[in-house]
Amino acid sequence: MECRPPWEPDAINAEWIQFPIARLRFVASKKQWSLYWRDRNLAFHRYERVPSTFAIEELLAEIDWDPTGILWG
């Protein structure tokens, strides 16, 4: 999740804007994690660049690296 300050400069007590950039899903029957990216219409899609994995750290590393620019822009 990306967090941004409020757009209104006068808003002293305004909350920060939270913008989801990715979703991690766990499939219990397979005991695997999958990565999803969000489009401009707020819909999530399977991130096909990396396969589902038992190690969530691999997906977190892919989010940080973001070689395609689809997550962080």
Side-chain angles (χ1 to χ4, degrees), residues 9 12 16 19 33 48 50 66-67:
I12 295 172
W16 281 49
F19 185 77
W33 291 93
E48 299 293 338
V50 292
D66 189 22

Side-chain angles (χ1 to χ4, degrees), residues 1-69:
M1 179 150 324
E2 179 182 5
C3 296
R4 299 178 184 176
W7 291 105
E8 305 85 22
D10 301 343
I12 295 172
N13 294 326
E15 292 186 26
W16 281 49
I17 299 165
Q18 296 181 343
F19 185 77
I21 56 133
R23 178 176 287 168
L24 298 170
R25 288 194 177 162
F26 183 71
V27 178
S29 61
K30 296 181 181 180
K31 295 184 174 39
Q32 290 186 335
W33 291 93
S34 298
L35 176 59
Y36 291 77
W37 61 277
R38 197 183 89 167
D39 68 16
R40 66 179 183 201
N41 297 316
L42 311 179
F44 282 92
H45 307 275
R46 177 80 169 80
Y47 185 82
E48 299 293 338
R49 192 174 185 289
V50 292
S52 297
T53 180
F54 296 106
I56 194 171
E57 295 82 10
E58 294 175 16
L59 301 180
L60 294 173
E62 184 72 14
I63 293 170
D64 284 341
W65 184 36
D66 189 22
T68 63

